[in-house]
Amino acid sequence: MSHYKLSRNNKNSTLIRHRWLVILLALITAMSTTGFAYAIIIYHQITLKIQATSISEIIVPFPTEPTTFNPALIVESAYILNYTYEGLVKENARGEIEPNLAKSWQTSQDNKQVIYTLRKGLKWSDGKPLTAEDVVFTYNEIYRHPDIPTYAKDFFIIGKNRTFPTVRKLDNLRVEFTLPEPFAPFIRATKLEILPAHIFRESVKTKNQEGIPKFMSTWGTDTPPENIIVNGPYTIESYTPSQRIIFRKNPYYWRKDIKGNSQPYIERVIGQIIPNQDTSLIQFRSGGLDYINVNTDYFSLLKHEESKGKFTVYNGGLFVGSTAITFNLNKGSRNGQPLVDPIKSRWFNTVEFRQAVAYGIDRQQILNNIYKGLGKLQNSPIAVQSKYYSPVQTVYEYNLQKAKKLLLKAGFKYNNQGQLLDEQGNIVRFSLMTNSTNNALQAMGVHIKQNLSNLGITVDFNPVAASIFINKLTQTFDWECQLLEVAVGQEPNDWANVWLPEAGWHFFNQESQAGQTPIIGRQVADWERKIGNLYIQAASEVDESKRKAMYVETQQITQEYLPFIYLVNPLSMVAVRNRIQGIEHSALIGTFWNTYDLKLTDIN
C-alpha cells in the first residue's frame, strides 16, 4: 500500500501547497485496499503530521480506551501513567530502584522508619509547588482511604494485623514513614504515583448522596485536559474518544540533563487508540506508527524489513508475565444470584479437575505453533529473572492418561459418546473467555478448546472486547474460566494483591471491594489462605534466604492447587523507529520507562 509520509520538519512550500492532494491520494489508496475505516485513520495521521511540521513528536499505539484519567483509579489504561505521573522512587531497565521525586532516603537500624527527602523546586504542571504535603496527602487520604478502592492500598497494608504505615510531614521536603514492623519491599513500593493535594483534597472529603467520595468520579474522560494536573514528563493536551490521546511536554517537569537542558526532549507523544494488533502492524509498516509490540506472528516479517523500514526489533528477553487460564473459584452470591453456576462451581473447586485440565493442555505445542518457539513454558507465579524464583517439582506435561485418571478419581465418568460427566450425570461444559484484541490469546483459546475435547470436555470459547473482559474480571465477577496474561513479577510483593485473599486483584476468588455490591457466602480455601499468609510473612522478613524459602513454598502450593494454570512465557519484543534514540527496552519495565531521555534524529 502506498503511503505518502511528510517529514515533520519539512516546511517546503510545495509540500504545504499540495497537502490536500496528498491526503486525497492517500485516502483513495487506503479505501481501495483496506476500506473506509482505515482510510479515516490514514487521514488523521497525515493531517496530524501536517499540523506538526515544527514539533518533535512520536506516534505510538495504545491498545485500550481509557475509562478515567484519575491516576489512583486507572486499571486498564495504565500506559497513561508512564507519561504523566511519578513516585518517590522509580525502577530502571535492570529492575534496580533509583531516586525520583525523592532525591534520597534514610532507613533506621530496626527497618521500621524511613525518611524521604524530596528534590528542591518540584512543581505540578500548573506551576504549584510539589511538597511533602502532597506525599502525606497521597498516602494518608487516598491510598489509605477505606472507601477508595485503589490498587495501591494492597502494597502498604503490612503484617498479620494488616496495618498501614504512619506517614507524617517533617518539613516541606521531608516525609517520615513509620512501619508497624520491618517490610522488605517497602522502598520499591514507594514508586507509586504522588497525587496533587491542592486538586483532590476537597473531592476526597466530600461525599455524594450514596456516601461515596466525589473523588471516585473526579477526572473522568470528559474532563478538560487543562484541568488534569500531573508531575510527570508530559501533560494531557487532548483526548479524542476512540481515536487518540495527545501528550505535551510538561514545562514544569523537574529533570534536566548534565548541560542544564530541560527534559523530555520530545515535545509531543501521540497515542493512537488501536485495539487490534493487526491494524497496529499495518500502520507501523506504512509509517504511521513509530513503535509496536512485536507479536511472534510478525517477528520474521519485521526482522526482514528492519533495514528497509529504518527500525530496530528489540528483544528484552523473557517477558515478566505469562499466559494462563484461571477458573472462577468464588462460591459466593450477589443480589441473591450465585456468581458461578453451583454445578460448575463444584467442578472448578475440585483440585483434581484443575490438575486434569493442566495435564490436558499441550503447552509445548502452543509454544511451538503459536509463539514459534520464541519463549518458554511457565511453571511459577514468580518470574525466572527473579532471585526468588525456584524450579518447582510439580510440572504439568501434556498427558491425557494422567488427566483421565485424575478425573475418574474425583468421581467424573464418561458416557458412550466419550463426553465427560460429573457424579450427578451433568455434561462437563464451560465457557472460556479471553480478550478479543489479543491474537495470540485467541489462537490459544482455539488450541485449548481442541485439547480439552480430547478429555471429553466441551469448551465454549468466547473472545470479548477488552472492556467487557476487564469489567467481568474486576467488577461483575460473573465468569467461568478466563484465558489471560498475568504478571509473574521479579519482586513477588509487587503482585501481592493477586495472592492476598482480600486484595483487589485476587481474580480467581475475588472479594467485593469498596463501593461494590457485597458478595455473600464467599469462602477462602486453606491453601489459598496459606499462600496469603506466606506473602505477608515474606514481606516482613529481612533475611533474604528465609524470604526466598517462603516464596519457594508459595510456588509449590500454587503448582499443586493451580489457581492459575500457567502456559507460556513469550519473549518481550518491540520494534522502534531508528530515529528515536535512547531506547533501552526491558522485559522488566517496558520500552518507554525513560521517555525523558529519548531524542529524535534526522533519520526519516
Side-chain angles (χ1 to χ4, degrees), residues 325-343:
I325 66 169
T326 181
F327 288 99
N328 193 342
L329 305 184
N330 202 322
K331 298 178 181 179
S333 298
R334 180 180 266 176
N335 296 323
Q337 295 294 321
L339 296 174
V340 182
D341 180 336
I343 293 173

Side-chain angles (χ1 to χ4, degrees), residues 71 85 124 126 128-142 169 193-205 215 218-219 229-231:
Y85 285 93
W124 293 100
D126 60 359
K128 298 289 178 63
L130 190 163
T131 70
E133 187 66 32
D134 295 294
V135 179
V136 173
F137 167 79
T138 298
Y139 282 91
N140 282 347
E141 299 188 44
I142 295 181
K169 173 183 172 181
E193 301 78 26
I194 301 300
L195 279 60
H198 68 287
I199 298 295
F200 284 128
R201 193 183 300 280
E202 190 61 32
S203 68
V204 170
K205 291 180 178 179
F215 176 83
T218 300
W219 285 7
I229 308 305
V230 305
N231 63 30

Side-chain angles (χ1 to χ4, degrees), residues 434-454:
T434 198
N435 178 359
S436 64
T437 66
N438 189 308
N439 294 350
L441 290 181
Q442 287 205 68
M444 290 173 70
V446 173
H447 178 93
I448 291 168
K449 174 184 173 74
Q450 179 59 46
N451 275 177
L452 295 186
S453 71
N454 296 329

Side-chain angles (χ1 to χ4, degrees), residues 143-160:
Y143 292 161
R144 189 177 188 172
H145 200 297
D147 297 325
I148 297 177
T150 171
Y151 72 98
K153 185 183 281 87
D154 297 324
F155 297 119
F156 292 100
I157 302 179
I158 299 170
K160 290 183 178 179

Side-chain angles (χ1 to χ4, degrees), residues 72-199:
L73 305 178
I74 286 175
V75 176
E76 71 285 347
S77 52
Y79 54 80
I80 294 172
L81 302 178
N82 293 337
Y83 299 96
T84 53
Y85 285 93
E86 295 187 344
L88 296 174
V89 302
K90 69 170 297 178
E91 189 174 359
N92 65 24
R94 298 172 297 283
E96 302 161 343
I97 295 301
E98 297 178 344
N100 205 19
L101 296 179
K103 69 174 184 178
S104 62
W105 56 88
Q106 293 178 317
T107 304
S108 63
Q109 276 193 327
D110 63 1
N111 292 299
K112 293 169 64 175
Q113 184 185 74
V114 183
I115 296 175
Y116 288 89
T117 301
L118 299 179
R119 299 177 188 276
K120 292 181 180 180
L122 293 174
K123 291 183 178 182
W124 293 100
S125 59
D126 60 359
K128 298 289 178 63
L130 190 163
T131 70
E133 187 66 32
D134 295 294
V135 179
V136 173
F137 167 79
T138 298
Y139 282 91
N140 282 347
E141 299 188 44
I142 295 181
Y143 292 161
R144 189 177 188 172
H145 200 297
D147 297 325
I148 297 177
T150 171
Y151 72 98
K153 185 183 281 87
D154 297 324
F155 297 119
F156 292 100
I157 302 179
I158 299 170
K160 290 183 178 179
N161 295 327
R162 315 307 293 133
T163 305
F164 202 89
T166 300
V167 187
R168 72 185 184 100
K169 173 183 172 181
L170 299 182
D171 54 43
N172 278 342
L173 294 179
R174 292 187 303 150
V175 179
E176 176 190 78
F177 290 79
T178 301
L179 316 183
E181 58 187 73
F183 189 63
F186 179 76
I187 301 298
R188 181 178 292 272
T190 57
K191 64 187 177 184
L192 292 171
E193 301 78 26
I194 301 300
L195 279 60
H198 68 287
I199 298 295

Side-chain angles (χ1 to χ4, degrees), residues 11 21 29 136 145 168 311 315 320 407 468 511 513:
K11 297 184 179 181
L21 176 60
T29 304
V136 173
H145 200 297
R168 72 185 184 100
F311 61 81
N315 180 357
V320 284
L407 291 169
I468 296 174
E511 176 64 283
Q513 300 298 297

Side-chain angles (χ1 to χ4, degrees), residues 292-365:
I292 187 177
N293 277 307
V294 178
N295 184 308
T296 49
D297 282 342
Y298 313 150
F299 175 70
S300 295
L301 171 66
L302 291 175
K303 282 297 291 182
H304 179 72
E305 294 182 347
E306 267 185 315
S307 178
K308 177 184 176 183
K310 296 181 181 177
F311 61 81
T312 298
V313 175
Y314 294 87
N315 180 357
L318 286 175
F319 186 60
V320 284
S322 173
T323 51
I325 66 169
T326 181
F327 288 99
N328 193 342
L329 305 184
N330 202 322
K331 298 178 181 179
S333 298
R334 180 180 266 176
N335 296 323
Q337 295 294 321
L339 296 174
V340 182
D341 180 336
I343 293 173
K344 296 182 180 183
S345 185
R346 285 196 297 272
W347 310 338
F348 301 161
N349 279 281
T350 301
V351 65
E352 290 87 357
F353 178 82
R354 300 196 298 274
Q355 291 172 341
V357 169
Y359 277 121
I361 297 174
D362 192 342
R363 299 186 301 152
Q364 188 62 51
Q365 192 176 70

